[in-house]
Amino acid sequence: IVLLAVVVALVAFFALMQSVRSGLFGELPSEEELAHIQHEQATLVLAADGTVIGKIFAQDRTNIRFEDLPKHLIDALVSTEDARFFEHGGVDGRSYVRVFFRTLIGRDRSGGGGSTISQQIVKNLYGRHRHGLLTIPVNKMKEALVAQRLERVLTKNDVLVLYFNSVPLGENTFGIEAAAQRFFGKSAKRLTVEESAVLVGMLKANTSYNPRLHTERSKGRRDQVLELMHGRDHLSRAQTDSLKGLPLTLRYTGGDALDVYGYFNEHVAKEAKAILAEITKR
């Protein structure tokens, strides 16, 4: 009976997988589409000296290049979200085994989820759709299949850049560069180790761990990220303890910070739209 149940389950699994792959539950993005993903960015309004005095956007995002990502930021992300990122091809079978035995059987939620960084990118870019009772397995299969396609057309470095440019970090802020500017008033390449840990910690729940709204909760999550970095040998015990002893200090520059230029920025936006309209007309 057990053997029969296993066989039936495997047949059902592969039948569903093939249905998802064939597009029965919605067309999957092609490798060509994945290789040419582009994110919309905020338009920056600059003063004569290059200072940012305004932003015009639907989503507050400023894209970043790989060379501008600090190593400790990458270490924090991989340690926290996908420890075997540099070893798998988009899907980590070991993580699913861990989730099954530790999280589902053992009821230990500290074990984390089974989604890789690439699968999280797919979820962030394409969202999830409802399919009745099959919603969860179909969405998980879609993310796994597309994640594998993604890693066939992009290098690991490109995947990291795509993730850091697409991830939502609360307050209508997308991408690590915009978040670094908003919460710490600096470019992502100038983030310190503990500041990187704060932003990576927000990925679990960007409102609950928002350092402006919930400082103590955010600090606790930051310290968890630092411990995970220590567990992956990216920080020594002494470094970890020293960084955990630091207060969580922000230099918040979101929202109200640019209000003083509000009328001017509105005028700039209107003039820019008029110029673009004329160019399009011609």
Side-chain angles (χ1 to χ4, degrees), residues 77-87 92 232:
L77 175 69
V78 173
S79 298
T80 306
E81 297 294 322
D82 188 357
R84 298 185 65 251
F85 171 71
F86 291 103
E87 301 167 35
D92 186 3
R232 298 293 172 185

Side-chain angles (χ1 to χ4, degrees), residues 183-208:
F183 293 106
F184 297 108
K186 63 174 71 171
S187 173
K189 65 182 177 182
R190 295 178 53 234
L191 288 170
T192 61
V193 177
E194 68 275 14
E195 290 169 346
S196 292
V198 170
L199 296 181
V200 169
M202 291 177 68
L203 299 174
K204 186 174 183 180
N206 55 43
T207 299
S208 296

Side-chain angles (χ1 to χ4, degrees), residues 23-117:
L24 185 63
F25 294 93
E27 198 67 33
L28 300 181
S30 65
E31 291 186 4
E32 183 180 4
E33 178 183 338
L34 294 169
H36 295 90
I37 292 173
Q38 290 187 337
H39 298 297
E40 65 176 59
Q41 300 189 68
T43 297
L44 305 182
V45 182
L46 307 180
D49 63 359
T51 306
V52 177
I53 60 173
K55 289 184 176 184
I56 304 165
F57 57 84
Q59 294 181 341
D60 187 1
R61 176 191 285 110
T62 302
N63 287 339
I64 195 170
R65 302 172 302 171
F66 180 78
E67 50 266 37
D68 292 326
L69 293 172
K71 183 179 182 301
H72 57 73
L73 177 62
I74 295 173
D75 292 340
L77 175 69
V78 173
S79 298
T80 306
E81 297 294 322
D82 188 357
R84 298 185 65 251
F85 171 71
F86 291 103
E87 301 167 35
H88 62 66
V91 177
D92 186 3
R94 288 189 196 175
S95 68
Y96 284 123
V97 174
R98 185 197 70 238
V99 168
F100 180 78
F101 284 103
R102 185 172 175 178
T103 307
L104 298 181
I105 303 300
R107 304 283 182 176
D108 180 6
R109 294 189 175 274
S110 66
S115 293
T116 63
I117 285 173

Side-chain angles (χ1 to χ4, degrees), residues 7-272:
V7 171
V8 170
L10 286 173
V11 170
F13 173 83
F14 285 109
L16 182 61
M17 177 72 77
Q18 188 57 38
S19 298
V20 172
R21 194 193 303 272
S22 65
L24 185 63
F25 294 93
E27 198 67 33
L28 300 181
S30 65
E31 291 186 4
E32 183 180 4
E33 178 183 338
L34 294 169
H36 295 90
I37 292 173
Q38 290 187 337
H39 298 297
E40 65 176 59
Q41 300 189 68
T43 297
L44 305 182
V45 182
L46 307 180
D49 63 359
T51 306
V52 177
I53 60 173
K55 289 184 176 184
I56 304 165
F57 57 84
Q59 294 181 341
D60 187 1
R61 176 191 285 110
T62 302
N63 287 339
I64 195 170
R65 302 172 302 171
F66 180 78
E67 50 266 37
D68 292 326
L69 293 172
K71 183 179 182 301
H72 57 73
L73 177 62
I74 295 173
D75 292 340
L77 175 69
V78 173
S79 298
T80 306
E81 297 294 322
D82 188 357
R84 298 185 65 251
F85 171 71
F86 291 103
E87 301 167 35
H88 62 66
V91 177
D92 186 3
R94 288 189 196 175
S95 68
Y96 284 123
V97 174
R98 185 197 70 238
V99 168
F100 180 78
F101 284 103
R102 185 172 175 178
T103 307
L104 298 181
I105 303 300
R107 304 283 182 176
D108 180 6
R109 294 189 175 274
S110 66
S115 293
T116 63
I117 285 173
S118 297
Q119 286 171 278
Q120 291 180 43
I121 290 173
V122 175
K123 183 181 73 173
N124 290 337
L125 291 179
Y126 296 100
R128 287 175 170 174
H129 305 282
R130 300 191 65 82
H131 303 285
L133 294 175
L134 297 176
T135 294
I136 293 176
V138 166
N139 281 317
K140 285 290 186 181
M141 286 181 182
K142 279 185 175 182
E143 289 164 14
L145 290 169
V146 179
Q148 289 176 321
R149 289 184 183 181
L150 184 72
E151 293 217 8
R152 284 199 293 267
V153 296
L154 298 181
T155 66
K156 288 290 186 179
N157 290 354
D158 289 337
V159 171
L160 288 170
V161 170
L162 185 58
Y163 183 90
F164 277 121
N165 283 334
S166 64
V167 68
L169 284 156
E171 302 187 9
N172 198 30
T173 301
F174 293 81
I176 201 72
E177 179 66 20
Q181 293 284 0
R182 175 171 289 256
F183 293 106
F184 297 108
K186 63 174 71 171
S187 173
K189 65 182 177 182
R190 295 178 53 234
L191 288 170
T192 61
V193 177
E194 68 275 14
E195 290 169 346
S196 292
V198 170
L199 296 181
V200 169
M202 291 177 68
L203 299 174
K204 186 174 183 180
N206 55 43
T207 299
S208 296
Y209 295 113
N210 184 311
R212 179 177 67 88
L213 302 175
H214 309 288
T215 305
E216 285 305 310
R217 194 183 300 166
S218 178
K219 182 180 183 300
R221 178 61 180 159
R222 178 201 73 178
D223 293 348
Q224 287 179 344
V225 174
L226 293 172
E227 281 292 344
L228 288 168
M229 293 176 71
H230 167 64
R232 298 293 172 185
D233 297 324
H234 297 304
L235 295 174
S236 68
R237 180 75 267 168
Q239 288 174 314
T240 304
D241 292 341
S242 175
L243 291 170
K244 287 170 66 176
L246 296 174
L248 198 162
T249 305
L250 299 179
R251 189 185 169 206
Y252 187 75
T253 60
D256 300 340
L258 301 176
D259 280 356
V260 66
Y261 306 105
Y263 290 109
F264 177 75
N265 288 328
E266 187 176 347
H267 179 74
V268 170
K270 287 180 179 178
E271 200 158 315

